[in-house]
Amino acid sequence: MDMKRLSIFGIIIVAVIAGLAFFAPQADKKETAAEAKPIVLVSTFSLYEAARAVAGDALDVRSIVPLGSDAHMFSPNPAQVAEISGAGLFVYNGAGFEIWAEALQNTIPSSTKIVDMSQYVALQKNEEEHHDEHAHKEHEHDVHEHEEHDHHGAYDPHYWLDIDNMIKMSQTLDAEFSKLVPAKAEQFHKNAFAYIAELQKLKTEYATGLAECKNRTLISNHDAFGYLTHANKLENISVIGLSSDEQPSAQTVARVVEVVKEHGMKTIFFEELINDNVAQTIAKESGAKAVPLQPLENISEDELKSQETYLSIMRQNLHKLRDAMECR
């Protein structure tokens, strides 16, 4: 009887061990796979979009700037600095957009590769630089407050609004990801090729959509749209400078109202995610309509829930521009 019990007990033990042996390796494999997926951290939403498109499921792509926040005003806390230090790759916008990222250069370990994306795209000078050059007469009505324009430096950092730059960003990420995980290089090349095809399609939509318009002037309350206007041969009038925390003087607002009336403009755009009081004031005094335009520095929680992307938001911007400029 005891031997029988012992025998049954032995069978149970063997079965339990076999069961553990069957399940344990699978769990270990899952953990190893998760650990093996390199982390890539980025700053702006446009970088996040391009990085996710090129990486596919091969990398763990994360944005360091919280959704819905003003990317201009962001500064990382110690936990976020630690997160960057643990990443395989950290990509930031550059061109003075993130002062904090430049300051991190000496504190991040060499195991994290840092890429300043502004080194790989076509930059254009800040608008006040244009005023000193006679070749840029289309900006003669611009009403920047020049003394407050040292926030970002010599170049305008909103370069992702030129679709050609988004293409260059995608190509650069393809190259960087391929160095990070050479075994997945073909996958990155394929993903980048597909995403760039989508961006080329968007570029064509902008070119045809803004080809014939009654009015070719974009007026906004923040100088974030220089690349968008330059790429599409539009005139750009902005009320305040490149920093979203600047407040224009009453005199500046009055001058803009005068320009709006003079050009017979029906719409003034204001940047989403920042205070729209300036645009609303000008709209009220000039009779123009105030409409939000997304500069894609970041997106809101609602936009994320609605599964909005760089491509979909740029198409919404195009629709608003066509409406405001009375395009055929």
Side-chain angles (χ1 to χ4, degrees), residues 4-71:
K4 195 185 245 183
R5 279 183 186 161
L6 196 59
S7 177
I8 291 167
F9 185 67
I11 290 166
I12 291 167
I13 291 288
V14 169
V16 168
I17 290 168
L20 287 171
F22 180 77
F23 290 109
Q26 290 188 333
D28 286 344
K29 275 180 191 168
K30 281 183 184 173
E31 282 171 25
T32 307
E35 285 164 12
K37 195 180 275 192
I39 296 169
V40 173
L41 279 175
V42 299
S43 57
T44 58
F45 174 70
S46 57
L47 282 169
Y48 180 62
E49 279 283 287
R52 282 199 310 169
V54 175
D57 60 0
L59 301 171
D60 182 359
V61 177
R62 304 175 190 173
S63 175
I64 199 74
V65 180
L67 290 168
S69 66
D70 184 346

Side-chain angles (χ1 to χ4, degrees), residues 193-235:
F193 183 83
Y195 190 57
I196 289 166
E198 288 295 319
L199 291 169
Q200 293 282 16
K201 186 181 170 190
L202 179 68
K203 187 183 169 184
T204 302
E205 287 172 31
Y206 263 81
T208 54
L210 298 172
E212 292 183 57
C213 305
K214 189 176 175 183
N215 156 35
R216 301 197 68 80
T217 303
L218 182 150
I219 181 164
S220 69
N221 75 329
H222 175 48
D223 191 6
F225 303 104
Y227 286 90
L228 186 67
T229 54
H230 185 262
N232 294 285
K233 298 179 177 63
L234 306 174
E235 183 180 349

Side-chain angles (χ1 to χ4, degrees), residues 38-40 59 87-89 111 113 175-183 188:
I39 296 169
V40 173
L59 301 171
L89 180 66
S111 55
K113 184 174 182 185
E176 290 299 332
F177 293 171
S178 297
K179 287 177 204 166
L180 188 65
V181 188
F188 299 140

